[in-house]
Amino acid sequence: MKARHLLHLADRPAQRRLSAALENLAVTFRGMTARPDEHNCECHWGSAEELALLKTPDVELDPDLLRRAWQATDWTDHAAVLRRILPQFAKVLVAGRAEPLFGLEEAGSSFARGRWQQWPDDHADPVREFLHAWWVESLTDPDAVVPADQVFVMCVEASGTLGPWLADWEEQTGHLSDRRLAEAAAEWEYELLGESLPWSVGWYEHDEDKLRTELVSWLLGPGAKRLRESGASEDLQHRIRLLGLPGDDRWMDPHWPGHRY
């Protein structure tokens, strides 16, 4: 069984990279705990016994407790809680079992609240590598569990920027990566044509308008060529083209899809 698993990873370099990134998270954050004085409301968050588990290293949390831990916005030291749960949290994310209330941007906001990019390099680098490895795997592995557009949103919200993730997309030039773009564009075009970002920005330091403008610019530039190569329908290509037109011209265009906002 192990030999077959290793052979499978050898055939899938993105999976191999992701597996190594998950293992690195486990090694890096082994032994981490929440602060000894960390607290939360028993009525709304959970029991004292559950809180004690966050202060105990390397004990697996049940799925509901893990979810409450990463979703809570009122920890005294969210970064410490995030480091405590990261090895298990990352595996749950990759397996598609995070169960956010709305979308994976919520999980990204949990990363952002932890300010992981300000951690020392020996902690921040494994997180960065995990996000990039997961993102590339979602673009290039036909068996990826979580849709690429959701992983993209998670990574953007976790980092507050589009640049690194769009750069990865540009590097992955295969047909599957192009198809993932067509799938993402189909998910995003309605909100973008309504001048909205296609996901909710949950972290106050992130600039929603800047993110939307940058995403539209990329879709009209490198993304447009990739859409043509992906075999995306002409209708979808026209909807993305309309993003480059001002309001009246957009709505009067014969290819305006009739969206109501």
Side-chain angles (χ1 to χ4, degrees):
M1 179 67 72
K2 184 176 181 181
R4 287 200 299 271
H5 175 69
L6 292 175
L7 181 61
H8 181 66
L9 289 180
D11 292 340
R12 302 281 178 84
Q15 275 195 3
R16 187 168 65 248
R17 179 184 178 187
L18 179 56
S19 294
L22 289 169
E23 178 60 26
N24 196 20
L25 284 182
V27 171
T28 299
F29 297 104
R30 183 173 295 148
M32 297 289 174
T33 66
R35 282 172 37 168
D37 61 346
E38 187 63 82
H39 63 281
N40 215 312
C41 174
E42 285 197 37
C43 295
H44 298 96
W45 181 80
S47 68
E49 291 78 10
E50 289 175 316
L51 183 60
L53 290 175
L54 296 180
K55 303 174 184 180
T56 305
D58 306 325
V59 174
E60 182 136 329
L61 309 179
D62 72 60
D64 183 62
L65 177 56
L66 177 66
R67 178 187 55 77
R68 281 180 278 133
W70 70 257
Q71 283 185 335
T73 60
D74 51 356
W75 296 117
T76 302
D77 188 344
H78 186 88
V81 172
L82 183 60
R83 286 189 290 267
R84 161 65 179 85
I85 66 174
L86 251 176
Q88 185 180 354
F89 186 21
K91 289 182 179 179
V92 165
L93 285 167
V94 169
R97 298 197 304 266
E99 298 184 355
L101 291 175
F102 300 104
L104 271 185
E105 61 265 38
E106 294 178 57
S109 294
S110 186
F111 277 70
R113 288 195 299 275
R115 297 181 180 276
W116 64 272
Q117 295 171 101
Q118 298 177 20
W119 296 353
D121 288 348
D122 60 340
H123 282 179
D125 288 349
V127 178
R128 183 176 294 106
E129 170 59 13
F130 160 66
L131 293 174
H132 278 283
W134 186 25
W135 168 226
V136 171
E137 188 262 354
S138 77
L139 289 175
T140 60
D141 191 329
D143 297 326
V145 175
V146 183
D149 64 285
Q150 295 182 27
V151 180
F152 179 81
V153 166
M154 154 74 196
C155 291
V156 171
E157 188 65 10
S159 63
T161 182
L162 289 166
W165 321 111
L166 293 179
D168 281 347
W169 217 334
E170 291 182 13
E171 288 181 5
Q172 305 303 322
T173 57
H175 175 71
L176 183 58
S177 181
D178 288 346
R179 195 170 79 216
R180 297 291 188 243
L181 175 58
E183 293 165 355
E187 289 290 329
W188 294 339
E189 57 87 12
Y190 177 86
E191 287 83 2
L192 289 175
L193 284 170
E195 302 294 340
S196 297
L197 195 66
W199 61 87
S200 298
V201 171
W203 182 234
Y204 73 96
E205 293 182 359
H206 295 172
D207 188 331
E208 184 171 348
D209 288 338
K210 181 179 178 182
L211 293 173
R212 180 185 58 80
T213 299
E214 187 176 351
L215 180 58
V216 167
S217 178
W218 189 83
L219 287 170
L220 290 172
K225 181 176 183 293
R226 297 284 294 274
L227 273 180
R228 289 193 296 273
E229 294 171 349
S230 74
S233 68
E234 288 189 12
D235 181 61
L236 178 59
Q237 292 184 56
H238 277 300
R239 293 184 188 202
I240 298 305
R241 175 185 60 80
L242 290 172
L243 294 172
L245 301 181
D248 287 346
D249 291 343
R250 182 182 299 178
W251 302 323
M252 296 298 292
D253 190 279
H255 294 283
W256 172 251
H259 293 333
R260 296 180 179 273
Y261 297 95

